[in-house]
Amino acid sequence: MRYAGCGGPTGAVSHTGDTAASPSSASAESRSRAARSVASRSPRLLPTPTTTRRVTRGFYRSRARGRCAIVRRVSLYRLHNPGLPKELRFGDLKLTAFSISGLASYVLAPSLNACFDLGHCAAEAARIDNVFLSHVHQDHSSGVPRHLWLREMQGMGRPRVYCPAASAEGLRGVLRAFDAMEGRDCRHDDVVKGVTEGEVIPLGRRHSVRVFDVVHRIASVGYTVVSRRRRLLDAWVGAPGREIGEARARGEAVEVEYEVEALTYVGDSTIETLRRHPEVGRSEVLFLEATHLPGTDPSKSAEYGHTHLDELVTLWRENPDALASPHIVLKHFSMRYFEREVRAAVAALPPGLRERVQPLL
């Protein structure tokens, strides 16, 4: 794996420690500031400024290149750590999410008692009863065994883990293997529930989850959360609260119930999914993948069953309704990209789309 260097688009560094061109030197004060910055974020990475040169081991050994290495290390530490999710809020909907291709993807929605994908399981995820897996690649599902064990350890009830029907037995086999390794009787077969396109899964009194098919390299599905809400009938809009209350007491209808597509989650997917299901653009919040950015050949996205950012732009120009959501969260960026590269690509999106898009970083 090679990462873009901090000295410009031509600079690069691999995980083996090979380096390319970097800035010729950095002042002692600059190196000290960079060291203190890293120390404040992760004491175990860099306890004191005096350990600057030790932190660069495996990246750079020369004193002149030390600051570049520190910045590089901090960037990767923050961006590629599934234990450092981002908090998102859309009105009353609060989410905790992380997604980097090949590492982990998950979106926790405590108010819905649901999470979408579980490539990493933190302690707070154990309290969620409903796990909706888009597919069973490890970076989207490897947190499931941990989720089950944490709940069992804390005496919680049995969860429900939904996944594509074609993958259900394979996932059960993984759970059996974990039980066998730990010397326990298998007790999780009924936890895994296979789902297919068109199914509607109840989610509490006010919500349900609709399943739709997704195009990827293995069996995959997407999920749309449908919320039932109430609003005043037109005749009562603007009326005093006391009158509305009295009308309710008399048994008069003052409200009407309606449905809203509150959230749609698409895991790994090609652009073909959005062409098949443009209705996802009606969701208030839409999670989509954008594994590759401009500068990467779109054929790579198609080869591995992913979406290229340029393909989303083309789709929006062809059919704006497919990406009409007021809040579009792009996720699952390749590990090859730095945060600044992702943000620059999003900032370069065309007006009308750019204002509604935020990267999950």
Side-chain angles (χ1 to χ4, degrees):
M1 180 187 305
R2 295 184 69 83
Y3 296 95
C6 60
T10 59
V13 61
S14 73
H15 68 285
T16 61
D18 298 329
T19 63
S22 65
S24 59
S25 63
S27 68
E29 179 60 26
S30 295
R31 289 195 301 274
S32 179
R33 282 199 303 269
R36 287 194 297 270
S37 175
V38 179
S40 68
R41 298 179 189 277
S42 178
R44 287 179 294 179
L45 280 179
L46 188 59
T48 68
T50 61
T51 60
T52 299
R53 296 184 68 184
R54 276 177 285 178
V55 166
T56 67
R57 187 172 57 239
F59 289 83
Y60 292 98
R61 293 186 181 276
S62 78
R63 182 167 182 166
R65 295 174 178 175
R67 182 176 180 275
C68 186
I70 293 170
V71 173
R72 194 187 312 275
R73 183 73 170 263
V74 171
S75 178
L76 296 181
Y77 173 76
R78 295 180 59 196
L79 192 61
H80 293 170
N81 190 334
L84 295 176
K86 183 172 183 179
E87 302 294 324
L88 305 174
R89 182 162 186 168
F90 305 99
D92 294 332
L93 181 62
K94 297 179 182 179
L95 306 171
T96 301
F98 177 93
S99 183
I100 290 292
S101 175
L103 287 179
S105 290
Y106 61 89
V107 177
L108 309 183
S111 64
L112 300 174
N113 193 19
C115 71
F116 300 92
D117 281 341
L118 196 59
H120 171 83
C121 183
E124 55 268 30
R127 295 190 288 270
I128 290 177
D129 295 332
N130 301 283
V131 179
F132 294 91
L133 299 182
S134 63
H135 63 296
V136 294
H137 276 156
Q138 291 183 37
D139 55 329
H140 295 258
S141 66
S142 61
V144 171
R146 186 65 178 157
H147 181 259
L148 295 176
W149 175 239
L150 282 173
R151 290 179 64 88
E152 185 174 322
M153 185 172 61
Q154 298 177 61
M156 299 179 178
R158 298 172 72 75
R160 292 167 291 278
V161 180
Y162 301 95
C163 71
S167 304
E169 187 55 34
L171 182 56
R172 294 186 186 107
V174 169
L175 299 180
R176 293 189 198 106
F178 270 92
D179 283 336
M181 286 191 298
E182 297 182 8
R184 299 185 297 166
D185 294 331
C186 182
R187 290 164 287 177
H188 302 308
D189 275 15
D190 61 336
V191 167
V192 178
K193 304 179 185 300
V195 297
T196 56
E197 179 186 12
E199 287 191 46
V200 177
I201 303 164
L203 192 65
R205 294 182 302 172
R206 297 175 45 241
H207 309 285
S208 61
V209 176
R210 188 169 62 227
V211 183
F212 58 93
D213 69 301
V214 165
V215 181
H216 187 43
R217 288 192 298 153
I218 64 172
S220 300
V221 296
Y223 301 100
T224 294
V225 177
V226 179
S227 297
R228 290 179 292 279
R229 301 176 184 174
R230 303 185 69 85
R231 61 175 175 81
L232 286 174
L233 291 169
D234 292 343
W236 289 99
V237 173
R242 184 170 61 86
E243 292 183 15
I244 294 174
E246 291 172 351
R248 280 201 184 98
R250 294 192 299 268
E252 295 182 29
V254 298
E255 293 178 318
V256 63
E257 188 173 83
Y258 66 103
E259 291 186 343
V260 170
E261 292 160 331
L263 180 150
T264 289
Y265 180 86
V266 180
D268 290 2
S269 168
T270 69
I271 196 67
E272 181 61 25
T273 296
L274 299 182
R275 298 189 188 280
R276 291 184 184 183
H277 297 284
E279 71 276 5
V280 302
R282 297 195 299 258
S283 295
E284 293 180 335
V285 180
L286 175 59
F287 279 83
L288 297 174
E289 75 131 284
T291 302
H292 296 125
L293 304 179
T296 299
D297 190 336
S299 66
K300 288 293 183 183
S301 302
E303 179 181 356
Y304 293 103
H306 293 302
T307 300
H308 194 286
L309 185 61
D310 285 347
E311 294 178 308
L312 291 174
V313 173
T314 299
L315 176 66
W316 174 72
R317 286 173 172 152
E318 294 173 351
N319 182 10
D321 289 343
L323 293 173
S325 300
H327 304 288
I328 301 173
V329 182
L330 297 184
K331 59 180 179 60
H332 202 262
F333 300 105
S334 169
M335 285 191 288
R336 74 180 64 184
Y337 302 121
F338 276 95
E339 179 175 347
R340 67 175 183 273
E341 296 175 289
V342 176
R343 294 196 182 279
V346 171
L349 291 172
L353 178 61
R354 178 180 62 230
E355 298 83 359
R356 296 179 289 110
V357 171
Q358 69 177 93
L360 180 53
L361 295 170

